């Protein structure tokens, strides 16, 4: 095993960013109170903070599973890349590319959506929403495959951990309504508050769009980009909101819904489809996936106006986001 530089062994960017997160949340709250440019609801913000705290505890309790796997497969790496200076920007870009696909699967495979839905469950969009994170991510086992790609190529797991930390730090600041648009050149390349508001919106035109972490160019390359429209105000949450501020219900409600659907499935095939098909899939079409909601909206309105889109999404029979109440 190659020598690991001391700073790589000890550096965790998230720890250093936590004071910055707190400061920015306070600044946004004060700015919102003075200008009304962002919306806060005390119980919702408390739930988001509780989910963030639980995610940190989960990282301590379950993070060892991911670490053990990463160090195990590092033995089978194709290349010995080491720690040259140029590896850091390369690793950062490649990690963000993989993040795009992991995030996209988090919206299109229900097993992963059951974990990721936590982050989308708030009906508000502010910096506390960025902290609303899952407690059970390692149990989805997504680290076994997409999470292993860079390690098998020869990137040390600690390098990946550091660049992933910076990726998450970058994503914190754009969970806000206080910033409308960044300069055009920045909007063209980077993920921004405007782009990510689209991602969190439930409007049919916005569903399953803008999966990028740092670089919005991935969405433009792979056909999932949607700009925020002035005439189409974002509505946040999930299609059928769970209407609870209980952190434990937020953490597990979709897992319970998945297992309930599987238990009542009439065949093994249907049970597996409830697990692996897009959220909203049912064998009888009684609910709807995001694609089906979009198709019905387009057929009805042609994508013409905000009011028509609002009416259609309100009457849509189901969500790409399923809940325990369904």
């Amino acid at each position: 095993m190659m020598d690991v530089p001391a700073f790589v062994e000890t550096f965790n960017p998230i720890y250093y960013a936590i004071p910055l997160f707190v400061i920015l949340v306070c600044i946004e709250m004060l700015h919102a109170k003075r200008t009304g440019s962002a919306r806060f609801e005390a119980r919702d913000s408390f739930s988001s903070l509780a989910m963030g705290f639980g995610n940190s505890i989960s990282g301590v309790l379950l993070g060892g599973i991911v670490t053990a796997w990463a160090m195990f497969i590092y033995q089978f790496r194709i290349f010995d890349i080491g720690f040259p200076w140029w590896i850091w920007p390369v690793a950062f870009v490649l990690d963000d590319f993989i993040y795009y696909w992991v995030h996209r699967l988090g919206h299109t495979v229900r097993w992963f959506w059951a974990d990721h839905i936590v982050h989308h469950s708030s009906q508000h969009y502010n910096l506390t929403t960025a902290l609303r994170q899952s407690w059970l991510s390692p149990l989805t086992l997504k680290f076994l495959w997409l999470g292993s790609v860079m390690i098998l190529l020869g990137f040390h797991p600690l390098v990946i951990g550091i660049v992933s930390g910076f990726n998450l730090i970058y994503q914190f600041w754009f969970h806000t309504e206080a910033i409308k648009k960044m300069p055009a050149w920045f909007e063209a390349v980077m993920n921004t508050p405007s782009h990510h508001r689209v991602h969190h919106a439930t409007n049919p035109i916005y569903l399953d769009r803008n999966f990028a972490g740092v670089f919005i160019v991935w969405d433009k390359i792979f056909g999932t980009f949607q700009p925020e429209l002035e005439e189409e105000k974002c509505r946040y949450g999930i299609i059928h909101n769970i209407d609870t501020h209980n952190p434990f219900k937020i953490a597990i409600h979709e897992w319970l819904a998945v297992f309930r659907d599987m238990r009542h499935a009439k065949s093994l095939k249907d049970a597996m489809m409830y697990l692996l098909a897009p959220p909203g899939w049912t064998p009888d079409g009684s609910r709807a996936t995001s694609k089906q909601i979009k198709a019905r909206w387009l057929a009805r309105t042609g994508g013409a106006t905000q009011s028509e889109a609002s009416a259609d999404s309100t009457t849509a029979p189901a969500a790409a986001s399923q809940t325990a109440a369904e």
Side-chain angles (χ1 to χ4, degrees):
M1 186 72 67
M2 69 183 67
D3 292 333
V4 179
F7 84 92
V8 175
E9 288 186 321
T10 59
F11 182 60
N12 186 335
I14 297 293
Y15 292 158
Y16 292 94
I18 289 175
L20 177 63
F21 292 167
V22 174
I23 292 170
L24 288 176
V25 168
C26 292
I27 290 174
E28 186 190 33
M29 285 182 172
L30 292 172
H31 183 69
K33 185 175 182 180
R34 184 171 62 86
T35 66
S37 60
R39 293 171 293 173
F40 285 86
E41 199 276 323
R43 293 176 300 171
D44 180 82
S45 294
F46 173 80
S47 297
S48 294
L49 294 173
M51 297 308 299
F53 179 74
N55 177 263
S56 299
I57 300 300
S58 171
V60 173
L61 297 178
L62 300 177
I65 300 173
V66 180
T67 301
W69 171 256
M71 297 310 298
F72 170 73
I73 63 169
Y74 187 61
Q75 302 173 82
F76 307 103
R77 61 192 180 276
I78 299 172
F79 305 106
D80 277 315
I81 296 177
F83 302 93
W85 68 267
W86 54 265
I87 205 60
W88 297 100
V90 172
F92 185 80
V93 173
L94 184 55
D95 175 75
D96 192 58
F97 173 72
I98 293 174
Y99 174 88
Y100 167 86
W101 289 105
V102 171
H103 192 186
R104 186 166 175 174
L105 287 172
H107 283 256
T108 53
V109 176
R110 195 180 178 196
W111 171 253
F112 298 132
W113 175 243
D115 178 69
H116 186 56
I117 192 175
V118 169
H119 183 58
H120 284 263
S121 60
S122 174
Q123 297 178 55
H124 297 268
Y125 191 77
N126 53 58
L127 291 178
T128 66
T129 307
L131 303 176
R132 183 176 287 232
Q133 299 293 334
S134 167
W135 296 352
L136 303 173
S137 289
L139 301 185
T140 64
L141 304 181
K142 60 188 174 184
F143 63 87
L144 292 178
W145 43 303
L146 279 174
S148 302
V149 172
M150 291 179 65
I151 298 172
L152 290 173
L153 286 175
F155 292 86
H156 195 281
L158 291 176
V159 171
I160 299 171
I162 290 173
V163 297
S164 295
F166 279 114
N167 189 302
L168 292 176
I169 290 170
Y170 180 87
Q171 291 187 46
F172 177 80
W173 75 278
F174 54 55
H175 287 83
T176 185
E177 293 183 300
I179 300 172
K180 301 308 177 186
K181 290 279 188 177
M182 300 297 289
W185 65 267
F186 196 87
E187 294 276 347
V189 178
M190 308 298 290
N191 205 356
T192 66
S194 178
H195 296 327
H196 204 62
R197 283 193 291 269
V198 166
H199 178 71
H200 274 258
T202 60
N203 314 48
I205 193 173
Y206 293 151
L207 287 176
D208 288 352
R209 289 293 182 262
N210 298 3
F211 297 111
V214 175
F215 302 109
I216 199 65
V217 292
W218 307 130
D219 286 285
K220 294 181 177 181
I221 291 171
F222 297 110
T224 53
F225 176 69
Q226 169 63 50
E228 183 181 26
L229 306 175
E230 290 186 10
E231 67 274 16
E232 185 70 21
K233 183 175 176 59
C234 293
R235 299 185 303 277
Y236 305 111
I238 51 182
I239 302 293
H240 290 294
N241 288 301
I242 56 176
D243 294 323
T244 181
H245 299 291
N246 185 321
F248 294 96
K249 291 182 179 179
I250 294 171
I252 67 172
H253 76 275
E254 181 66 7
W255 291 108
L256 296 177
V258 170
F259 296 135
R260 184 181 63 246
D261 283 341
M262 293 181 69
R263 186 175 68 251
H264 294 147
K266 296 180 179 180
S267 68
L268 178 60
K269 177 183 177 182
D270 286 352
M272 294 308 296
M273 288 293 285
Y274 276 125
L275 190 66
L276 301 176
W281 178 89
T282 55
D284 60 0
S286 59
R287 298 197 290 251
T289 65
S290 289
K291 285 186 177 180
Q292 290 168 331
I293 292 172
K294 277 179 177 285
R296 292 171 183 175
W297 170 70
L298 286 170
R300 181 175 179 271
T301 69
T305 68
Q306 178 180 359
S307 60
E308 290 172 322
S310 299
D312 189 79
S313 67
T314 301
T315 58
S321 313
Q322 297 177 338
T323 75
E326 289 182 320

